[in-house]
Amino acid sequence: MRRKTKMVWELIILIMMGGCGMSMAQQPPPVSEAVLHQVAASLQMHVDKLPHMPKLFGYTLKFHRNLPATTVFAYGTSAQAATVPGPTIESIRGVSTRVTWENHLPHSHILPWDPTIPTTIPKHGGVPTVVHLHGGVQPPESDGSALAWFNSDFKETGPAWSRSTYTYPNIQHSGNLWYHDHTLGLTRANLLAGLIAAYVLRDPAFDAKMNLPVGPKFDRHLMIFDRSFYKDGSLYLNYTGDNPTIHPQWQPEYFGEAIIVNGKAWPYLRVQRRKYRFRIINVSNARYYGLALTNGLSFTVVGSDSSYLPSPVTTQRILLSPAETFDVVVDFSTATATESILTNDAPYPYPTGTQPDQLMGQVMKFIIKPGAPSRPDTSRVPASLAPSQAATIVGASLTRYITLYEYLSKANLSSHLYINGKSFLDPVTETPKSGSTEVWEVINLTGDNHPLHIHLATFQAIRVQQLVDEQGFLNCMTRKNNAVACNVTGHATGPILDIPAHERAWKNIVKIEPGCKTTVVVHFNLVEQNNAPYPFDATSAPGYVYHCHILDHEDNEMIRPLKLVK
Ligand SMILES: *[C@@H]1O[C@H](CO)[C@@H](O)[C@H](O)[C@H]1NC(C)=O
Ligand SMILES: *[C@@H]1O[C@H](CO)[C@@H](O)[C@H](O)[C@H]1NC(C)=O
Ligand SMILES: *[C@@H]1O[C@H](CO)[C@@H](O)[C@H](O)[C@H]1NC(C)=O
Ligand SMILES: *[C@@H]1O[C@H](CO)[C@@H](O)[C@H](O)[C@H]1NC(C)=O
Ligand SMILES: CC(=O)N[C@H]1CO[C@H](CO)[C@@H](O)[C@@H]1O
Ligand SMILES: [Cu+2]
């Protein structure tokens, strides 16, 4: 028996440049889309084994057996141990984890960035970074504010910086989190360079009761992202913006030509005819994935990004937005063949963009060993997983209107994206009471689906309704920027869209459909513990943020401060 003393687990994680190969501090010669496609298409699919997440890959990083090793940014407890994705942090509910983050990144970035969007530019050079634990319920000082960045050896720090050691209290329900860079204006480039990793919160008593597949063989992460590569294996990010007279580099969405799972392009995994648990996390910059399995297999969804579902939902397809997580069980004993492809059918940008081709349409392959599993599969998916998740507006103290805008230049090219017509550094307007519940009516006035992410709080969409006379509403909003004055209730009378059963759970990402009003119940308390208040001061500086998790949108500036008050 573990003694009930206050327990803390401490570790130091270095953030560094790993691998070999050319440094891209200097701009490489321009490359065409066709060449990038050619590089991706030249990679044979399903020849690299799916890497284990917590295992360390070593110092050189090869995204495919046929690609030369290349320079990346990586997390690791030492230079030798740094990997992409970084080491998975395994935490136990009730035991806080303290992590000291150290910046060992080089003097110049390996990818292009854009000084014309609000960006951190340290006076003395160096690549700034700050780490956010996505989905974590932690005090503001440990939340990784976009302005709490720090340079190598803490030579320079952002205005919100206060400490190098972060405390993650691990008080929330067990589940799937991840950590990544959150630096103002550099998030898209820093994540693209490799600053992504998983974090699992386990609850031994609860997990034992659940009896889902366990152990490093049968409980696996699938961290999915898309990247393009030069012929020399280095990572590609366009040096030219869509709207270069305004933003020389910034583009509204990054889409890579190859799909990477756990650090390998189109890998394979040998599986037995039994149940496996997959914690699928989409860490793409902008690509949505509509995932399905061939040869008769389906997903049994047991959890989303912040919670377990009340009961499992079996589905043929899950739509994963950037930064969204699904926790699923796949029973390979029901396969009708000896292999199954994890496929992707989501257009990009989602939902009205290009259909995936035969490259983008595949994620990875499972090779299924015929015959009985080596040991009988005693795991099961319980009929009931967690208390009911029904969200209700009863008890909500306030309704806010949150409107998403994309601004175009005269040539109709994207120049920036704002929430409520405000930039990140405009004074805070969302000041919920710590402990309260609110209703957020989120109105999407853009053509894209936006994965809205909130720090600290958990939320759940309860109604998605299309707007009628969108143009009239948009014209009014352009003049007044006030949803109530523009009669949003009168306009939100269109068809009601379905919210899939496996998304009816407490989440930290809600997908916001274009042309719709999405009603979201937001809990600024521990909703799964009967709305208990946070056991720390959530109102202290520097506060939190909420933002679109398409990183290219977040950086330019679909992000707003969130300041809890007493
Ligand atoms: C880079 O962006 C520019 C501007 O949008 C575009 O013309 C060019 O095709 C892009 N390059 C690639 C390789 O996608
Ligand atoms: C991953 O997330 C990105 C944006 O955050 C999204 O565009 C993309 O569709 C997502 N992919 C999957 C497989 O969900
Ligand atoms: C921009 O879009 C508007 C509305 O669709 C159109 O009327 C206008 O002609 C476009 N301008 C350019 C320069 O394409
Ligand atoms: C709001 O819009 C609806 C539908 O367009 C209309 O019937 C109603 O009169 C409007 N209400 C106000 C206060 O303008
Ligand atoms: C009200 C509004 O502007 N809605 C926009 C939402 O997105 C669609 C594209 O799917 C646009 O056509 C609408 O104008
Ligand atoms: Cu967005």
Coordinates of all heavy atoms in Angstrom, one line a residue, residues 444-447 467 470 474 514-515, ligand 5:
N444 N -19.0 31.0 -35.9 CA -17.9 30.9 -36.9 C -18.3 31.7 -38.1 O -19.1 31.2 -38.9 CB -17.7 29.4 -37.2 CG -16.6 29.2 -38.3 OD1 -16.0 30.1 -38.7 ND2 -16.5 28.0 -38.7
L445 N -17.6 32.8 -38.4 CA -17.9 33.6 -39.6 C -16.8 33.3 -40.6 O -16.5 34.2 -41.4 CB -17.9 35.1 -39.2 CG -19.0 35.5 -38.2 CD1 -19.1 36.9 -38.0 CD2 -20.4 35.0 -38.7
T446 N -16.1 32.2 -40.6 CA -15.1 31.9 -41.6 C -15.5 30.7 -42.3 O -16.5 30.0 -42.0 CB -13.7 31.6 -40.9 OG1 -13.8 30.3 -40.4 CG2 -13.5 32.6 -39.7
G447 N -14.8 30.4 -43.3 CA -15.1 29.2 -44.1 C -14.5 27.9 -43.6 O -14.8 26.8 -44.1
L467 N -26.7 29.0 -39.3 CA -27.2 30.3 -39.4 C -28.0 30.5 -40.7 O -27.5 29.9 -41.7 CB -26.1 31.4 -39.4 CG -25.2 31.4 -38.1 CD1 -24.0 32.2 -38.3 CD2 -26.0 31.9 -36.9
E470 N -26.8 34.2 -43.7 CA -25.4 34.4 -43.2 C -24.9 35.7 -43.7 O -24.2 36.4 -42.9 CB -24.5 33.3 -43.8 CG -24.7 32.0 -43.1 CD -23.7 30.9 -43.6 OE1 -22.7 31.3 -44.1 OE2 -24.0 29.8 -43.4
L474 N -23.4 38.5 -41.4 CA -22.0 38.8 -41.5 C -21.9 40.4 -41.7 O -21.0 41.0 -41.1 CB -21.4 38.1 -42.7 CG -19.9 38.1 -42.9 CD1 -19.2 37.6 -41.7 CD2 -19.5 37.3 -44.1
P514 N -18.2 25.7 -39.6 CA -18.4 27.0 -40.3 C -19.9 27.3 -40.5 O -20.7 26.4 -40.6 CB -17.8 26.8 -41.7 CG -17.6 25.4 -41.9 CD -17.6 24.7 -40.5
G515 N -20.2 28.6 -40.4 CA -21.6 29.1 -40.6 C -22.6 28.6 -39.6 O -23.8 28.5 -39.9
Ligands
LIG5 C1 -21.9 33.7 -41.2 C2 -20.8 33.3 -42.0 O1 -20.0 34.1 -42.5 N1 -20.6 32.1 -42.2 C3 -19.5 31.6 -43.1 C4 -19.1 30.2 -42.5 O2 -18.4 29.4 -43.4 C5 -19.0 29.2 -44.6 C6 -18.2 28.3 -45.4 O3 -18.4 27.0 -45.0 C7 -19.1 30.5 -45.3 O4 -19.7 30.3 -46.6 C8 -20.0 31.4 -44.5 O5 -20.1 32.7 -45.1

